Amino acid sequence: MLIPIISFVAVMKRLRSFRRSQDGSAAVEFAMIAPMFFALIFAVMETGMVFMAGQVLETGVEDGARLVYTSTSASATDFKAAICGRVSVLMDCTKLDVDVRSFDPGATITIIDPIDASGKYVSNGFVYQPPAYSSSGPTSKTVVVRAFYQWPLYVTGLGYNIANIDRGTTTNKRLLAATAALGPQ
């Protein structure tokens, strides 16, 4: 069996040519930068989707609030269906929570934050309390309509975290909130 003899000079010559070679350097540089680049792109896309969904929810609540304020017989189901008809393209309507409250003229309007101190979403205090209408005309009460949707986040695992519900867990979500207040002129 013959053992090939490789000289030290030949090895050094090969190493020098390998060190000077530029072949594949662009691929190596891209492989080093690509994860950060794609994380940034996905974070921008997710943030854009969150803001767009928030605007869609805001528009739906504004239109739904008019229904509550002007209708004499709109039920909670009717109100939720009115909002759902506008937001169902982006959101699952079964996860939409609504809170409608009426306040007397001059009364202090208190709005409670649905995220508690530990970062959990608490929706058990929501009510549907539209103004009572009389045969004499429109109500003199102020109506505050709020809707909430828990938007799931996916890019937050990469270090970019806009979550405000269950932050730091595997179920990170962003609470989208929309509010409309209507009252007598």
Side-chain angles (χ1 to χ4, degrees):
M1 179 156 109
L2 294 171
I3 299 175
I5 298 176
I6 302 173
S7 72
F8 179 73
V9 174
V11 170
M12 290 306 291
K13 186 178 178 183
R14 198 73 145 132
L15 285 175
R16 267 188 251 121
S17 80
F18 178 72
R19 185 177 42 176
R20 279 184 258 137
S21 175
Q22 296 290 319
D23 296 344
S25 64
V28 171
E29 290 170 0
F30 180 75
M32 290 171 29
I33 300 297
M36 293 174 281
F37 174 73
F38 287 120
L40 180 64
I41 292 295
F42 291 137
V44 167
M45 288 172 37
E46 183 170 69
T47 303
M49 284 295 294
V50 167
F51 281 112
M52 185 174 75
Q55 285 302 114
V56 168
L57 182 63
E58 190 73 39
T59 302
V61 168
E62 287 173 6
D63 293 344
R66 285 188 207 100
L67 172 73
V68 169
Y69 194 73
T70 59
S71 175
T72 58
S73 62
S75 67
T77 307
D78 296 336
F79 171 64
K80 199 168 180 180
I83 294 176
C84 188
R86 290 164 176 80
V87 302
S88 63
V89 172
L90 293 175
M91 302 173 197
D92 178 7
C93 291
T94 61
K95 296 178 183 176
L96 186 67
D97 295 319
V98 295
D99 183 36
V100 177
R101 297 174 189 265
S102 298
F103 297 94
D104 291 323
T108 302
I109 297 175
T110 305
I111 297 177
I112 300 166
D113 188 4
I115 301 175
D116 66 10
S118 65
K120 300 286 183 202
Y121 176 64
V122 182
S123 63
N124 57 2
F126 294 161
V127 296
Y128 182 76
Q129 184 188 56
Y133 289 91
S134 65
S135 59
S136 62
T139 182
S140 62
K141 293 190 175 210
T142 300
V143 179
V144 178
V145 176
R146 300 187 305 160
F148 301 96
Y149 185 80
Q150 298 178 56
W151 186 269
L153 300 172
Y154 302 104
V155 182
T156 57
L158 299 173
Y160 175 72
N161 198 344
I162 59 171
N164 59 1
I165 302 174
D166 297 332
R167 189 177 189 139
T169 66
T170 58
T171 60
N172 287 332
K173 292 181 182 155
R174 177 81 182 171
L175 184 65
L176 302 180
T179 304
L182 299 170
Q185 297 297 325

